[in-house]
Short mmCIF file of all heavy atoms in Angstrom, two decimals:
data_model
loop_
_atom_site.label_atom_id
_atom_site.label_comp_id
_atom_site.label_asym_id
_atom_site.label_seq_id
_atom_site.Cartn_x
_atom_site.Cartn_y
_atom_site.Cartn_z
N SER A 1 -4.45 -7.07 -0.15
CA SER A 1 -4.64 -7.11 -1.56
C SER A 1 -5.26 -8.40 -2.04
O SER A 1 -5.97 -8.44 -3.09
CB SER A 1 -3.30 -6.87 -2.29
OG SER A 1 -2.47 -7.98 -2.24
N MET A 2 -5.03 -9.45 -1.28
CA MET A 2 -5.66 -10.73 -1.63
C MET A 2 -7.19 -10.65 -1.56
O MET A 2 -7.84 -11.25 -2.44
CB MET A 2 -5.14 -11.84 -0.72
CG MET A 2 -3.68 -12.20 -0.96
SD MET A 2 -2.93 -13.27 0.25
CE MET A 2 -4.02 -14.64 0.22
N MET A 3 -7.70 -10.00 -0.57
CA MET A 3 -9.16 -9.84 -0.50
C MET A 3 -9.69 -9.01 -1.67
O MET A 3 -10.74 -9.37 -2.23
CB MET A 3 -9.55 -9.15 0.80
CG MET A 3 -11.05 -9.04 1.03
SD MET A 3 -11.56 -8.32 2.55
CE MET A 3 -10.99 -6.62 2.37
N LEU A 4 -8.97 -7.98 -2.04
CA LEU A 4 -9.41 -7.21 -3.17
C LEU A 4 -9.37 -8.04 -4.47
O LEU A 4 -10.25 -7.89 -5.33
CB LEU A 4 -8.59 -5.95 -3.33
CG LEU A 4 -8.68 -4.98 -2.17
CD1 LEU A 4 -7.74 -3.77 -2.34
CD2 LEU A 4 -10.14 -4.50 -2.02
N ASP A 5 -8.36 -8.87 -4.60
CA ASP A 5 -8.35 -9.76 -5.76
C ASP A 5 -9.54 -10.70 -5.78
O ASP A 5 -10.12 -10.94 -6.81
CB ASP A 5 -7.01 -10.59 -5.76
CG ASP A 5 -5.82 -9.92 -6.35
OD1 ASP A 5 -6.03 -9.08 -7.27
OD2 ASP A 5 -4.71 -10.18 -5.90
N TYR A 6 -9.86 -11.21 -4.58
CA TYR A 6 -11.04 -12.09 -4.44
C TYR A 6 -12.31 -11.42 -4.93
O TYR A 6 -13.13 -12.02 -5.62
CB TYR A 6 -11.19 -12.55 -3.01
CG TYR A 6 -12.39 -13.42 -2.79
CD1 TYR A 6 -12.35 -14.80 -3.14
CD2 TYR A 6 -13.54 -12.91 -2.32
CE1 TYR A 6 -13.49 -15.61 -2.97
CE2 TYR A 6 -14.68 -13.71 -2.12
CZ TYR A 6 -14.65 -15.06 -2.45
OH TYR A 6 -15.72 -15.80 -2.31
N PHE A 7 -12.46 -10.13 -4.63
CA PHE A 7 -13.61 -9.35 -5.04
C PHE A 7 -13.46 -8.74 -6.43
O PHE A 7 -14.19 -7.81 -6.80
CB PHE A 7 -13.97 -8.32 -3.99
CG PHE A 7 -14.54 -8.88 -2.74
CD1 PHE A 7 -13.79 -8.85 -1.58
CD2 PHE A 7 -15.75 -9.51 -2.69
CE1 PHE A 7 -14.28 -9.41 -0.39
CE2 PHE A 7 -16.27 -10.07 -1.54
CZ PHE A 7 -15.51 -10.01 -0.39
N GLU A 8 -12.41 -9.22 -7.15
CA GLU A 8 -12.14 -8.77 -8.52
C GLU A 8 -11.85 -7.26 -8.60
O GLU A 8 -12.15 -6.63 -9.59
CB GLU A 8 -13.24 -9.20 -9.48
CG GLU A 8 -13.36 -10.68 -9.53
CD GLU A 8 -14.37 -11.22 -10.50
OE1 GLU A 8 -14.90 -10.42 -11.32
OE2 GLU A 8 -14.67 -12.42 -10.44
N MET A 9 -11.26 -6.72 -7.57
CA MET A 9 -10.86 -5.30 -7.57
C MET A 9 -9.33 -5.28 -7.91
O MET A 9 -8.49 -4.97 -7.02
CB MET A 9 -11.11 -4.69 -6.22
CG MET A 9 -12.63 -4.68 -5.88
SD MET A 9 -13.00 -4.05 -4.23
CE MET A 9 -12.75 -2.33 -4.46
N ARG A 10 -9.00 -5.69 -9.11
CA ARG A 10 -7.60 -5.94 -9.50
C ARG A 10 -6.76 -4.68 -9.44
O ARG A 10 -5.59 -4.73 -9.03
CB ARG A 10 -7.58 -6.51 -10.92
CG ARG A 10 -8.42 -7.73 -11.11
CD ARG A 10 -7.82 -9.03 -10.62
NE ARG A 10 -8.61 -10.11 -11.01
CZ ARG A 10 -9.15 -10.98 -10.17
NH1 ARG A 10 -8.93 -10.83 -8.88
NH2 ARG A 10 -9.88 -11.98 -10.60
N LYS A 11 -7.31 -3.55 -9.89
CA LYS A 11 -6.48 -2.32 -9.90
C LYS A 11 -6.11 -1.88 -8.45
O LYS A 11 -4.97 -1.52 -8.20
CB LYS A 11 -7.25 -1.20 -10.56
CG LYS A 11 -7.52 -1.40 -12.03
CD LYS A 11 -8.36 -0.30 -12.55
CE LYS A 11 -8.80 -0.60 -14.01
NZ LYS A 11 -9.81 0.39 -14.48
N GLU A 12 -7.06 -2.01 -7.57
CA GLU A 12 -6.79 -1.63 -6.17
C GLU A 12 -5.81 -2.61 -5.52
O GLU A 12 -4.87 -2.17 -4.80
CB GLU A 12 -8.09 -1.62 -5.40
CG GLU A 12 -9.07 -0.53 -5.79
CD GLU A 12 -9.93 -0.82 -6.98
OE1 GLU A 12 -9.74 -1.86 -7.58
OE2 GLU A 12 -10.82 0.00 -7.27
N ALA A 13 -5.93 -3.89 -5.84
CA ALA A 13 -4.99 -4.88 -5.29
C ALA A 13 -3.59 -4.61 -5.79
O ALA A 13 -2.60 -4.66 -5.06
CB ALA A 13 -5.43 -6.28 -5.65
N LYS A 14 -3.51 -4.31 -7.08
CA LYS A 14 -2.16 -4.03 -7.66
C LYS A 14 -1.56 -2.78 -7.07
O LYS A 14 -0.34 -2.76 -6.78
CB LYS A 14 -2.35 -3.88 -9.18
CG LYS A 14 -0.98 -3.62 -9.88
CD LYS A 14 -1.21 -3.48 -11.40
CE LYS A 14 0.13 -3.16 -12.08
NZ LYS A 14 -0.06 -2.99 -13.50
N ALA A 15 -2.37 -1.78 -6.82
CA ALA A 15 -1.89 -0.54 -6.16
C ALA A 15 -1.28 -0.80 -4.79
O ALA A 15 -0.22 -0.29 -4.45
CB ALA A 15 -2.98 0.51 -6.09
N ILE A 16 -1.92 -1.66 -4.02
CA ILE A 16 -1.47 -2.00 -2.70
C ILE A 16 -0.16 -2.80 -2.81
O ILE A 16 0.85 -2.46 -2.11
CB ILE A 16 -2.50 -2.81 -1.92
CG1 ILE A 16 -3.67 -1.93 -1.58
CG2 ILE A 16 -1.88 -3.38 -0.66
CD1 ILE A 16 -4.83 -2.65 -0.96
N ARG A 17 -0.12 -3.80 -3.63
CA ARG A 17 1.12 -4.61 -3.80
C ARG A 17 2.27 -3.74 -4.20
O ARG A 17 3.38 -3.87 -3.72
CB ARG A 17 0.87 -5.74 -4.77
CG ARG A 17 0.05 -6.92 -4.18
CD ARG A 17 0.11 -8.12 -5.12
NE ARG A 17 -0.51 -7.86 -6.38
CZ ARG A 17 -1.77 -7.99 -6.66
NH1 ARG A 17 -2.60 -8.37 -5.73
NH2 ARG A 17 -2.22 -7.72 -7.91
N SER A 18 2.05 -2.88 -5.18
CA SER A 18 3.13 -2.00 -5.69
C SER A 18 3.63 -1.08 -4.57
O SER A 18 4.83 -0.89 -4.38
CB SER A 18 2.62 -1.17 -6.86
OG SER A 18 3.60 -0.28 -7.31
N ALA A 19 2.73 -0.51 -3.82
CA ALA A 19 3.08 0.40 -2.73
C ALA A 19 3.87 -0.32 -1.67
O ALA A 19 4.89 0.19 -1.17
CB ALA A 19 1.86 1.13 -2.15
N VAL A 20 3.40 -1.50 -1.26
CA VAL A 20 4.12 -2.25 -0.23
C VAL A 20 5.49 -2.64 -0.68
O VAL A 20 6.44 -2.54 0.07
CB VAL A 20 3.30 -3.53 0.16
CG1 VAL A 20 4.11 -4.47 0.98
CG2 VAL A 20 1.99 -3.11 0.86
N THR A 21 5.62 -3.06 -1.95
CA THR A 21 7.01 -3.39 -2.49
C THR A 21 7.88 -2.21 -2.41
O THR A 21 9.07 -2.34 -2.00
CB THR A 21 6.78 -3.92 -3.93
OG1 THR A 21 6.02 -5.10 -3.93
CG2 THR A 21 8.15 -4.23 -4.57
N LYS A 22 7.43 -1.04 -2.85
CA LYS A 22 8.26 0.16 -2.81
C LYS A 22 8.72 0.52 -1.44
O LYS A 22 9.85 0.87 -1.16
CB LYS A 22 7.53 1.37 -3.45
CG LYS A 22 7.43 1.21 -4.95
CD LYS A 22 6.65 2.33 -5.57
CE LYS A 22 6.41 2.13 -7.08
NZ LYS A 22 5.61 3.20 -7.66
N VAL A 23 7.77 0.44 -0.48
CA VAL A 23 8.06 0.80 0.94
C VAL A 23 9.10 -0.21 1.48
O VAL A 23 10.10 0.22 2.15
CB VAL A 23 6.77 0.79 1.73
CG1 VAL A 23 7.10 0.87 3.23
CG2 VAL A 23 5.93 1.99 1.38
N LEU A 24 8.91 -1.47 1.24
CA LEU A 24 9.86 -2.43 1.77
C LEU A 24 11.23 -2.31 1.15
O LEU A 24 12.27 -2.49 1.83
CB LEU A 24 9.33 -3.88 1.52
CG LEU A 24 8.09 -4.22 2.34
CD1 LEU A 24 7.61 -5.62 1.97
CD2 LEU A 24 8.40 -4.20 3.84
N LYS A 25 11.26 -2.02 -0.18
CA LYS A 25 12.60 -1.81 -0.79
C LYS A 25 13.36 -0.59 -0.28
O LYS A 25 14.55 -0.56 -0.31
CB LYS A 25 12.40 -1.62 -2.33
CG LYS A 25 12.12 -2.92 -3.07
CD LYS A 25 12.02 -2.69 -4.56
CE LYS A 25 11.82 -4.02 -5.28
NZ LYS A 25 11.75 -3.83 -6.70
N ARG A 26 12.64 0.36 0.29
CA ARG A 26 13.28 1.53 0.96
C ARG A 26 13.72 1.20 2.37
O ARG A 26 14.25 2.07 3.07
CB ARG A 26 12.33 2.73 0.95
CG ARG A 26 12.15 3.30 -0.46
CD ARG A 26 11.47 4.65 -0.43
NE ARG A 26 12.24 5.61 0.35
CZ ARG A 26 11.66 6.64 0.99
NH1 ARG A 26 10.38 6.86 0.89
NH2 ARG A 26 12.38 7.46 1.71
N GLY A 27 13.44 0.02 2.84
CA GLY A 27 13.79 -0.40 4.20
C GLY A 27 12.85 0.10 5.24
O GLY A 27 13.17 0.10 6.46
N ILE A 28 11.65 0.56 4.83
CA ILE A 28 10.67 1.03 5.80
C ILE A 28 9.83 -0.14 6.29
O ILE A 28 9.38 -0.94 5.47
CB ILE A 28 9.76 2.06 5.12
CG1 ILE A 28 10.60 3.27 4.69
CG2 ILE A 28 8.62 2.49 6.06
CD1 ILE A 28 9.82 4.24 3.82
N GLY A 29 9.71 -0.25 7.53
CA GLY A 29 8.93 -1.34 8.10
C GLY A 29 8.83 -1.19 9.61
O GLY A 29 9.35 -0.30 10.20
N THR A 30 8.14 -2.18 10.19
CA THR A 30 7.99 -2.25 11.63
C THR A 30 9.17 -3.05 12.16
O THR A 30 9.88 -3.67 11.38
CB THR A 30 6.66 -2.95 11.98
OG1 THR A 30 6.61 -4.19 11.29
CG2 THR A 30 5.44 -2.09 11.58
N PRO A 31 9.42 -3.00 13.46
CA PRO A 31 10.57 -3.70 14.00
C PRO A 31 10.64 -5.20 13.67
O PRO A 31 11.75 -5.76 13.61
CB PRO A 31 10.46 -3.49 15.54
CG PRO A 31 9.68 -2.20 15.65
CD PRO A 31 8.73 -2.24 14.47
N ASP A 32 9.53 -5.86 13.46
CA ASP A 32 9.58 -7.28 13.09
C ASP A 32 10.15 -7.52 11.68
O ASP A 32 10.62 -8.58 11.41
CB ASP A 32 8.21 -7.92 13.25
CG ASP A 32 7.17 -7.31 12.32
OD1 ASP A 32 7.14 -6.05 12.27
OD2 ASP A 32 6.34 -8.08 11.74
N LEU A 33 10.11 -6.49 10.85
CA LEU A 33 10.72 -6.57 9.47
C LEU A 33 12.06 -5.88 9.37
O LEU A 33 12.87 -6.26 8.55
CB LEU A 33 9.74 -5.98 8.46
CG LEU A 33 8.42 -6.60 8.39
CD1 LEU A 33 7.52 -5.82 7.40
CD2 LEU A 33 8.51 -8.03 7.89
N ASN A 34 12.28 -4.92 10.23
CA ASN A 34 13.52 -4.11 10.18
C ASN A 34 13.87 -3.79 11.65
O ASN A 34 13.25 -2.93 12.24
CB ASN A 34 13.32 -2.85 9.33
CG ASN A 34 14.57 -1.96 9.31
OD1 ASN A 34 15.53 -2.24 10.00
ND2 ASN A 34 14.49 -0.92 8.55
N LEU A 35 14.86 -4.48 12.16
CA LEU A 35 15.17 -4.31 13.60
C LEU A 35 15.58 -2.91 13.95
O LEU A 35 15.56 -2.51 15.12
CB LEU A 35 16.28 -5.31 14.01
CG LEU A 35 15.85 -6.77 13.97
CD1 LEU A 35 17.03 -7.69 14.34
CD2 LEU A 35 14.66 -7.04 14.86
N ASN A 36 16.08 -2.11 12.97
CA ASN A 36 16.46 -0.74 13.22
C ASN A 36 15.28 0.20 13.21
O ASN A 36 15.48 1.40 13.46
CB ASN A 36 17.52 -0.29 12.19
CG ASN A 36 18.76 -1.13 12.27
OD1 ASN A 36 19.21 -1.46 13.34
ND2 ASN A 36 19.30 -1.46 11.13
N SER A 37 14.12 -0.23 12.91
CA SER A 37 12.95 0.65 12.79
C SER A 37 12.18 0.74 14.10
O SER A 37 12.06 -0.26 14.83
CB SER A 37 11.98 0.10 11.72
OG SER A 37 10.84 0.90 11.66
N LYS A 38 11.66 1.87 14.37
CA LYS A 38 10.83 2.13 15.53
C LYS A 38 9.45 2.50 15.18
O LYS A 38 8.60 2.95 15.92
CB LYS A 38 11.43 3.27 16.37
CG LYS A 38 12.86 3.07 16.84
CD LYS A 38 12.90 2.19 18.04
CE LYS A 38 14.33 2.16 18.57
NZ LYS A 38 14.74 0.88 19.03
N ARG A 39 9.09 2.29 13.84
CA ARG A 39 7.77 2.67 13.36
C ARG A 39 6.69 1.68 13.74
O ARG A 39 6.88 0.48 13.79
CB ARG A 39 7.82 2.83 11.84
CG ARG A 39 8.64 3.93 11.36
CD ARG A 39 8.40 4.11 9.84
NE ARG A 39 8.96 5.37 9.37
CZ ARG A 39 10.12 5.45 8.72
NH1 ARG A 39 10.85 4.43 8.47
NH2 ARG A 39 10.52 6.68 8.34
N SER A 40 5.52 2.22 14.03
CA SER A 40 4.39 1.38 14.35
C SER A 40 3.71 0.91 13.11
O SER A 40 4.01 1.43 12.00
CB SER A 40 3.36 2.15 15.16
OG SER A 40 2.76 3.16 14.37
N ALA A 41 2.83 -0.10 13.23
CA ALA A 41 2.13 -0.57 12.08
C ALA A 41 1.28 0.51 11.45
O ALA A 41 1.15 0.62 10.20
CB ALA A 41 1.23 -1.77 12.46
N ALA A 42 0.66 1.35 12.30
CA ALA A 42 -0.15 2.50 11.78
C ALA A 42 0.70 3.46 10.96
O ALA A 42 0.28 3.93 9.92
CB ALA A 42 -0.81 3.22 12.94
N GLU A 43 1.93 3.75 11.45
CA GLU A 43 2.82 4.69 10.70
C GLU A 43 3.20 4.08 9.34
O GLU A 43 3.18 4.78 8.30
CB GLU A 43 4.07 4.94 11.53
CG GLU A 43 3.87 5.81 12.71
CD GLU A 43 5.10 5.94 13.57
OE1 GLU A 43 5.73 4.88 13.92
OE2 GLU A 43 5.47 7.07 13.93
N VAL A 44 3.54 2.78 9.30
CA VAL A 44 3.88 2.14 8.03
C VAL A 44 2.67 2.09 7.08
O VAL A 44 2.78 2.35 5.94
CB VAL A 44 4.47 0.74 8.32
CG1 VAL A 44 4.71 0.02 7.00
CG2 VAL A 44 5.73 0.83 9.11
N GLY A 45 1.55 1.87 7.66
CA GLY A 45 0.28 1.88 6.86
C GLY A 45 0.03 3.23 6.26
O GLY A 45 -0.37 3.34 5.10
N ASP A 46 0.29 4.27 7.01
CA ASP A 46 0.15 5.63 6.53
C ASP A 46 1.12 5.91 5.39
O ASP A 46 0.78 6.55 4.37
CB ASP A 46 0.32 6.66 7.62
CG ASP A 46 -0.84 6.71 8.60
OD1 ASP A 46 -1.92 6.08 8.28
OD2 ASP A 46 -0.70 7.33 9.66
N ILE A 47 2.35 5.43 5.52
CA ILE A 47 3.34 5.59 4.45
C ILE A 47 2.93 4.86 3.21
O ILE A 47 3.03 5.40 2.08
CB ILE A 47 4.74 5.13 4.95
CG1 ILE A 47 5.22 6.04 6.11
CG2 ILE A 47 5.72 5.10 3.81
CD1 ILE A 47 6.44 5.49 6.84
N ILE A 48 2.43 3.65 3.34
CA ILE A 48 1.96 2.88 2.23
C ILE A 48 0.82 3.60 1.53
O ILE A 48 0.73 3.71 0.29
CB ILE A 48 1.63 1.48 2.63
CG1 ILE A 48 2.84 0.64 3.04
CG2 ILE A 48 0.85 0.71 1.49
CD1 ILE A 48 2.54 -0.63 3.72
N SER A 49 -0.16 4.11 2.34
CA SER A 49 -1.28 4.88 1.82
C SER A 49 -0.80 6.08 1.04
O SER A 49 -1.33 6.42 -0.02
CB SER A 49 -2.21 5.31 2.95
OG SER A 49 -2.80 4.23 3.53
N SER A 50 0.27 6.75 1.49
CA SER A 50 0.80 7.89 0.83
C SER A 50 1.37 7.51 -0.56
O SER A 50 1.21 8.24 -1.54
CB SER A 50 1.90 8.57 1.66
OG SER A 50 1.35 9.13 2.80
N TYR A 51 2.07 6.36 -0.60
CA TYR A 51 2.60 5.84 -1.82
C TYR A 51 1.46 5.63 -2.85
O TYR A 51 1.62 5.91 -4.03
CB TYR A 51 3.41 4.60 -1.62
CG TYR A 51 4.85 4.80 -1.39
CD1 TYR A 51 5.29 5.23 -0.14
CD2 TYR A 51 5.78 4.62 -2.37
CE1 TYR A 51 6.63 5.42 0.13
CE2 TYR A 51 7.14 4.82 -2.11
CZ TYR A 51 7.55 5.24 -0.85
OH TYR A 51 8.90 5.45 -0.62
N ILE A 52 0.40 5.03 -2.37
CA ILE A 52 -0.74 4.80 -3.27
C ILE A 52 -1.33 6.10 -3.77
O ILE A 52 -1.62 6.24 -4.96
CB ILE A 52 -1.78 3.95 -2.57
CG1 ILE A 52 -1.25 2.58 -2.30
CG2 ILE A 52 -3.05 3.86 -3.37
CD1 ILE A 52 -2.11 1.71 -1.37
N ALA A 53 -1.49 7.04 -2.90
CA ALA A 53 -2.09 8.31 -3.22
C ALA A 53 -1.18 9.11 -4.23
O ALA A 53 -1.73 9.77 -5.15
CB ALA A 53 -2.34 9.16 -1.99
N ASP A 54 0.12 8.99 -4.07
CA ASP A 54 1.04 9.71 -4.92
C ASP A 54 1.39 8.96 -6.24
O ASP A 54 1.98 9.49 -7.14
CB ASP A 54 2.35 9.92 -4.19
CG ASP A 54 2.15 10.94 -3.03
OD1 ASP A 54 1.16 11.69 -3.10
OD2 ASP A 54 2.98 10.98 -2.14
N ASN A 55 0.98 7.68 -6.33
CA ASN A 55 1.35 6.86 -7.42
C ASN A 55 0.53 7.09 -8.67
O ASN A 55 -0.54 7.72 -8.62
CB ASN A 55 1.17 5.38 -6.98
CG ASN A 55 2.01 4.44 -7.80
OD1 ASN A 55 2.00 4.51 -8.99
ND2 ASN A 55 2.71 3.51 -7.18
N GLU A 56 0.96 6.54 -9.76
CA GLU A 56 0.20 6.71 -11.03
C GLU A 56 -1.14 6.04 -10.97
O GLU A 56 -1.98 6.34 -11.77
CB GLU A 56 1.01 6.24 -12.22
CG GLU A 56 1.18 4.69 -12.30
CD GLU A 56 2.40 4.19 -11.58
OE1 GLU A 56 3.15 4.98 -10.97
OE2 GLU A 56 2.63 2.96 -11.69
N PHE A 57 -1.34 5.15 -10.05
CA PHE A 57 -2.63 4.52 -9.95
C PHE A 57 -3.71 5.52 -9.69
O PHE A 57 -4.86 5.41 -10.13
CB PHE A 57 -2.61 3.46 -8.82
CG PHE A 57 -1.74 2.27 -9.09
CD1 PHE A 57 -0.53 2.19 -8.43
CD2 PHE A 57 -2.07 1.35 -10.03
CE1 PHE A 57 0.33 1.11 -8.71
CE2 PHE A 57 -1.24 0.29 -10.32
CZ PHE A 57 -0.02 0.14 -9.65
N LYS A 58 -3.48 6.53 -8.85
CA LYS A 58 -4.44 7.54 -8.60
C LYS A 58 -4.77 8.32 -9.89
O LYS A 58 -5.94 8.63 -10.14
CB LYS A 58 -3.95 8.53 -7.53
CG LYS A 58 -4.97 9.55 -7.17
CD LYS A 58 -4.44 10.48 -6.03
CE LYS A 58 -5.49 11.44 -5.64
NZ LYS A 58 -4.99 12.43 -4.71
N GLU A 59 -3.76 8.67 -10.68
CA GLU A 59 -3.99 9.40 -11.89
C GLU A 59 -4.72 8.59 -12.95
O GLU A 59 -5.62 9.09 -13.59
CB GLU A 59 -2.64 9.84 -12.48
CG GLU A 59 -1.90 10.83 -11.59
CD GLU A 59 -0.48 11.07 -12.11
OE1 GLU A 59 -0.17 10.65 -13.27
OE2 GLU A 59 0.32 11.58 -11.35
N ASN A 60 -4.37 7.30 -13.06
CA ASN A 60 -4.98 6.48 -14.09
C ASN A 60 -6.25 5.79 -13.65
O ASN A 60 -7.02 5.31 -14.49
CB ASN A 60 -3.98 5.43 -14.54
CG ASN A 60 -2.74 6.03 -15.17
OD1 ASN A 60 -2.83 7.07 -15.76
ND2 ASN A 60 -1.62 5.38 -15.04
N ASN A 61 -6.53 5.75 -12.39
CA ASN A 61 -7.68 5.00 -11.87
C ASN A 61 -8.41 5.83 -10.80
O ASN A 61 -8.31 5.49 -9.61
CB ASN A 61 -7.24 3.64 -11.30
CG ASN A 61 -6.55 2.86 -12.34
OD1 ASN A 61 -7.13 2.43 -13.35
ND2 ASN A 61 -5.22 2.58 -12.14
N SER A 62 -9.10 6.84 -11.20
CA SER A 62 -9.69 7.71 -10.22
C SER A 62 -10.73 7.00 -9.34
O SER A 62 -11.18 7.54 -8.36
CB SER A 62 -10.30 8.95 -10.91
OG SER A 62 -11.31 8.48 -11.84
N SER A 63 -11.09 5.78 -9.70
CA SER A 63 -12.02 5.03 -8.92
C SER A 63 -11.42 4.39 -7.67
O SER A 63 -12.10 3.88 -6.85
CB SER A 63 -12.68 3.96 -9.76
OG SER A 63 -11.75 2.98 -10.15
N LEU A 64 -10.07 4.50 -7.56
CA LEU A 64 -9.45 3.92 -6.35
C LEU A 64 -9.93 4.63 -5.13
O LEU A 64 -10.04 5.87 -5.08
CB LEU A 64 -7.93 4.02 -6.44
CG LEU A 64 -7.19 3.10 -7.36
CD1 LEU A 64 -5.70 3.37 -7.30
CD2 LEU A 64 -7.51 1.68 -7.09
N ASN A 65 -10.27 3.88 -4.12
CA ASN A 65 -10.79 4.46 -2.88
C ASN A 65 -9.83 4.11 -1.75
O ASN A 65 -9.63 2.98 -1.51
CB ASN A 65 -12.19 3.91 -2.60
CG ASN A 65 -12.81 4.55 -1.41
OD1 ASN A 65 -12.33 5.54 -0.88
ND2 ASN A 65 -13.94 3.99 -0.98
N GLN A 66 -9.24 5.11 -1.21
CA GLN A 66 -8.33 4.81 -0.07
C GLN A 66 -8.49 5.87 1.04
O GLN A 66 -8.89 6.96 0.76
CB GLN A 66 -6.90 4.80 -0.50
CG GLN A 66 -6.24 6.14 -0.74
CD GLN A 66 -6.10 6.47 -2.21
OE1 GLN A 66 -6.36 5.68 -3.06
NE2 GLN A 66 -5.69 7.67 -2.47
N SER A 67 -8.15 5.43 2.23
CA SER A 67 -8.03 6.36 3.33
C SER A 67 -6.84 5.91 4.16
O SER A 67 -6.41 4.77 4.05
CB SER A 67 -9.33 6.35 4.14
OG SER A 67 -9.52 5.07 4.69
N MET A 68 -6.38 6.72 4.99
CA MET A 68 -5.11 6.42 5.74
C MET A 68 -5.30 5.13 6.52
O MET A 68 -6.27 4.94 7.20
CB MET A 68 -4.76 7.56 6.67
CG MET A 68 -4.52 8.90 5.95
SD MET A 68 -3.27 8.79 4.65
CE MET A 68 -1.84 8.92 5.66
N SER A 69 -4.34 4.26 6.41
CA SER A 69 -4.19 2.96 7.10
C SER A 69 -5.30 1.98 6.81
O SER A 69 -4.99 0.82 6.71
CB SER A 69 -4.10 3.21 8.60
OG SER A 69 -2.94 3.86 8.97
N THR A 70 -6.51 2.35 6.63
CA THR A 70 -7.59 1.43 6.50
C THR A 70 -7.49 0.63 5.19
O THR A 70 -8.13 -0.38 5.05
CB THR A 70 -8.96 2.06 6.57
OG1 THR A 70 -9.05 3.11 5.60
CG2 THR A 70 -9.18 2.66 7.96
N ILE A 71 -6.74 1.14 4.19
CA ILE A 71 -6.62 0.38 2.97
C ILE A 71 -5.84 -0.89 3.12
O ILE A 71 -5.95 -1.86 2.40
CB ILE A 71 -6.01 1.26 1.86
CG1 ILE A 71 -6.20 0.61 0.51
CG2 ILE A 71 -4.54 1.51 2.11
CD1 ILE A 71 -5.98 1.53 -0.65
N ILE A 72 -4.99 -0.94 4.12
CA ILE A 72 -4.17 -2.11 4.38
C ILE A 72 -4.98 -3.14 5.07
O ILE A 72 -5.11 -4.22 4.90
CB ILE A 72 -2.97 -1.76 5.26
CG1 ILE A 72 -2.21 -0.56 4.71
CG2 ILE A 72 -2.01 -2.92 5.43
CD1 ILE A 72 -1.77 -0.65 3.27
#
């Protein structure tokens, strides 16, 4: 999200930060963040991408461009 902020893509950066916050609050993460987790970075990235796709950011900002994992 910092790179998107740098390129003045504020809506996209906010969408990523919001999704990451929601995922972390649910205890979803890789083993380095949650020792009980067996998820890979790619799996967590896909979950974050899903949050972005399902979030109000998609409805309010149809210009958001995302694909699985690569948005992270």
Side-chain angles (χ1 to χ4, degrees):
S1 75
M2 290 171 54
M3 182 178 68
L4 295 176
D5 277 330
Y6 177 80
F7 289 110
E8 298 183 12
M9 299 174 74
R10 307 279 187 240
K11 294 174 189 173
E12 292 84 353
K14 183 178 177 182
I16 292 172
R17 284 192 298 273
S18 177
V20 169
T21 298
K22 289 177 183 178
V23 167
L24 291 176
K25 283 184 178 180
R26 289 192 58 208
I28 298 170
T30 54
D32 59 318
L33 299 175
N34 178 355
L35 294 177
N36 297 319
S37 178
K38 303 279 188 218
R39 291 188 167 105
S40 69
E43 289 173 311
V44 174
D46 289 345
I47 294 168
I48 292 168
S49 293
S50 294
Y51 270 77
I52 293 169
D54 293 340
N55 201 314
E56 72 269 4
F57 292 106
K58 183 177 180 188
E59 295 171 14
N60 295 332
N61 302 295
S62 59
S63 64
L64 286 181
N65 185 9
Q66 78 255 353
S67 62
M68 300 305 278
S69 295
T70 57
I71 195 165
I72 309 306

